[in-house]
Amino acid sequence: MIRPFALSFPGRLHIAVLSVLLPLLASTAVRAEEPEWRTATTLGGEPHYAADFAHFDYVNPDAPKGGEARFGVEGNFDSTNLFLGTKGTPATSVASAYESLFTASLDELDISATYPLLADAMRYPSDFAWAEYRLDPKARWQDGEPVTVDDVIWSFDTLKEIYPLFGSYYSHVTKAEATDDRVVRFTFDAPGNRELPHILGQLYVLPKHWWQGKDASGKQRNIRETTLEPPLGSGPYKVTAVDPGRRVTLVRDPDYWGAKLPVSIGSNNFDRLIYDYYVDPTVLMEAFKADKYDFRAERSAKMWATGYDFPAKNEGKVVTMTFPRNASGVMQALVPNLRLAKYQDARVRRALNLAFDYETLKRTVFFNLYDRIDSFYFGTELAAKNLPSPGELSLLEPLRDKLPPAVFTTPYANPVGGTPEAVRENLQQAVALFAEAGWTIRDGKMRNAKGEPFRIEYLTFSSLDERYISPFAKALGRIGIDLDLRLVDDAQYLNRTRSFDFDMTVDVWGQSLSPGNEQREMWGSKAADLPGSRNTAGIKNPAVDALIEKVIYAENREALVTATRALDRVLLAGNYVIPLFYSKNSFYAYWKRFGHPEALPKYSVGFPDVWWYDPAVASAAGLSR
């Protein structure tokens, strides 16, 4: 399960008679059942908040409104249309203008429980064959027009068509239709997928009338094209100004229809949100030190360890904080493009991993702040450990002929370097694996039988990658492989990676604690050739496909964990990527102008959602604005 911009307990009803009669009786049986309307949906257990809850526990319901929050964003943008998966560089900062049918709290297990937003209730039958969402009659677009069932249906159909993420995520939802003027029904291609009713609540709803209308100049709008027009949404913030590639300004809507909803109380406290874009990460940091923006999420270990010794920090005007990552797992990795012949042999991919000396990087570059990733679900209970459990074996045994023997005999482990002796031994093993795959060193270069050299172009948009790519390139050079770093702008990077026009790149897959339908788009064979999909590596493995289905249709938490661990084990054994590094903590710095609830939500630092501008704090720090 994911939340776009931003990331289950599936199951199947095993009733033999129903299975036989379902094609004839489904419609009658479903309507006779008339399931209850729910004011929360959860993938396991009971939701924390009752139907009559006043507000989330972690907010200050009396938080003052006012002031502004300024952000610095690395990169640029050429579109305010967020929903084109294969075109343009979107300004994701406009997302605050949009809303979904239901929304998650920040203090429950990942996003496994959601509550009413545009819809005031939802329901589904016991066999999970469909789901209905009932719109809140108060819901309005920012131009005052009501949010309608027609908007929901048009959004669903359009986003499935134009955005690969939604197309894959909702691939088993066959139809959206109105059952009355407030209710939309989503019908599934088969019963038993327990996650589908829940994740439909994440659907972003767009204003059909606006997108099918004309802009101020009389030009017909087109959701299938890029645009720099401020978008119309239903959310608490309006996009009021767009400076192409440089700045997006949002202003809190004083007429926001949902201001008194329980999910909104204590949130959306700033009058303005300002997002400034910087192409260079060094300039971005200097802008923070110069008080050009307020809040910074630090992703460089070196910067965190050495870059915050400046006057404003030493004078107490800038605060630094470490926050645990409780909400999700991750795989961050170097990604060889398996669509290219030279990477299709798993021995080659493992050899490249052997040349990556993480332990030296950890000590010399990362200040011991990061850990090496050893799971596609790193940092969660979903990660495979040791040898397969009996439950995992029951899933893996039927696939044995499609799996490497190591899945059953050898737990995955990254190579370990850190000393000259270990590095030398790893490179010797790498050369041996290349030889097994038909590559040998001749004239100082790693060559195949045709004499063609093994070369790597590493594609990136961030100069920060050089900190670990340069040592990797040096190590590969010792075994006759040239690695060239190709630094391009955001737009070119997105266009090339969306069309899989790369040799090697880096990617990050955030994982929820309840994986489900999105796994098809990340690792499934069908997604490997779908432009814009998250299957960046190009994985095509029938065993992986089969295990993804086990994850999606797991009937309870125990079965979900077992199936995900089995999937993780198979993905790791394929050596599809070269795992990088991650911290189990997030690092933040901010100028001392703000207040926040005494206890922040467990799964998010909550900025800017539940923070507020505090003039007394700012004044005491000499930062009045």
Side-chain angles (χ1 to χ4, degrees), residues 145-369:
E145 291 293 314
V147 178
T148 68
V149 166
D150 200 29
D151 290 320
V152 178
I153 295 170
W154 181 82
S155 299
F156 174 79
D157 291 340
T158 303
L159 292 176
K160 275 194 70 176
E161 175 194 344
I162 69 175
Y163 197 171
L165 172 62
F166 285 101
S168 175
Y169 202 36
Y170 297 129
S171 61
H172 290 276
V173 185
T174 59
K175 182 170 56 175
E177 59 185 334
T179 59
D180 71 26
D181 60 358
R182 285 180 55 200
V183 178
V184 58
R185 171 175 290 197
F186 300 96
T187 303
F188 310 148
D189 61 2
N193 190 328
R194 302 172 70 99
E195 189 187 44
L196 281 180
H198 180 85
I199 65 175
L200 280 163
Q202 301 168 9
L203 176 69
Y204 279 92
V205 182
L206 311 179
K208 178 181 178 181
H209 72 282
W210 188 83
W211 277 106
Q212 292 189 342
K214 296 181 179 180
D215 64 19
S217 68
K219 180 182 178 182
Q220 178 66 48
R221 298 186 182 98
N222 186 352
I223 196 170
R224 292 163 180 80
E225 299 295 337
T226 60
T227 179
L228 286 167
E229 183 181 10
L232 178 75
S234 62
Y237 287 93
K238 287 184 176 181
V239 180
T240 58
V242 177
D243 185 356
R246 299 183 62 182
R247 172 177 283 192
V248 174
T249 302
L250 298 94
V251 173
R252 186 161 53 85
D253 184 358
D255 300 317
Y256 172 48
W257 75 271
K260 295 183 179 180
L261 291 176
V263 298
S264 298
I265 297 296
S267 302
N268 312 315
N269 301 315
F270 294 99
D271 283 347
R272 289 176 301 281
L273 304 177
I274 299 173
Y275 294 84
D276 285 323
Y277 286 72
Y278 298 83
V279 175
D280 185 277
T282 301
V283 175
L284 179 64
M285 178 60 183
E286 291 304 312
F288 178 75
K289 291 162 65 174
D291 194 15
K292 298 297 185 182
Y293 62 96
D294 296 306
F295 193 92
R296 176 178 172 87
E298 185 55 69
R299 62 189 185 96
S300 165
K302 180 179 180 181
M303 188 64 72
W304 187 251
T306 66
Y308 286 85
D309 182 15
F310 57 93
K313 171 62 171 64
N314 298 332
E315 294 166 6
K317 295 180 179 181
V318 169
V319 179
T320 55
M321 66 182 297
T322 300
F323 194 85
R325 299 181 193 268
N326 297 315
S328 62
V330 71
M331 168 56 82
Q332 178 174 246
L334 300 179
V335 186
N337 190 346
L338 272 66
R339 302 167 188 84
L340 304 178
K342 65 183 176 183
Y343 293 123
Q344 289 173 4
D345 193 312
R347 292 169 294 190
V348 166
R349 302 192 297 268
R350 180 63 180 184
L352 295 174
N353 195 351
L354 281 159
F356 191 82
D357 178 15
Y358 171 72
E359 284 67 31
T360 298
L361 287 170
K362 180 176 182 178
R363 183 181 69 253
T364 61
V365 177
F366 301 137
F367 296 84
N368 293 313
L369 289 174

Side-chain angles (χ1 to χ4, degrees), residues 34-189:
E34 287 299 327
E36 65 176 341
W37 288 102
R38 304 165 183 259
T39 56
T41 173
T42 180
L43 294 174
E46 295 296 322
H48 176 68
Y49 295 97
D52 60 350
F53 81 101
H55 55 76
F56 291 135
D57 292 345
Y58 50 81
V59 305
N60 172 7
D62 300 315
K65 306 291 186 182
E68 65 185 21
R70 303 170 302 164
F71 300 85
V73 183
E74 184 180 348
N76 56 27
F77 66 92
D78 61 11
S79 177
T80 55
N81 184 354
L82 296 182
F83 305 104
L84 292 174
T86 58
K87 290 183 180 180
T89 305
T92 56
S93 48
V94 307
S96 297
Y98 295 105
E99 292 182 309
S100 53
L101 294 167
F102 268 38
T103 190
S105 72
L106 300 178
D107 60 347
E108 292 174 274
L109 177 65
D110 194 52
I111 51 175
S112 62
T114 59
Y115 301 90
L117 188 54
L118 286 173
D120 62 14
M122 61 86 67
R123 66 179 183 174
Y124 52 85
S126 58
D127 67 349
F128 307 97
W130 53 265
E132 288 181 345
Y133 279 82
R134 186 180 67 199
L135 290 181
D136 190 321
K138 300 186 297 294
R140 292 289 185 276
W141 298 110
Q142 291 164 349
D143 62 0
E145 291 293 314
V147 178
T148 68
V149 166
D150 200 29
D151 290 320
V152 178
I153 295 170
W154 181 82
S155 299
F156 174 79
D157 291 340
T158 303
L159 292 176
K160 275 194 70 176
E161 175 194 344
I162 69 175
Y163 197 171
L165 172 62
F166 285 101
S168 175
Y169 202 36
Y170 297 129
S171 61
H172 290 276
V173 185
T174 59
K175 182 170 56 175
E177 59 185 334
T179 59
D180 71 26
D181 60 358
R182 285 180 55 200
V183 178
V184 58
R185 171 175 290 197
F186 300 96
T187 303
F188 310 148
D189 61 2

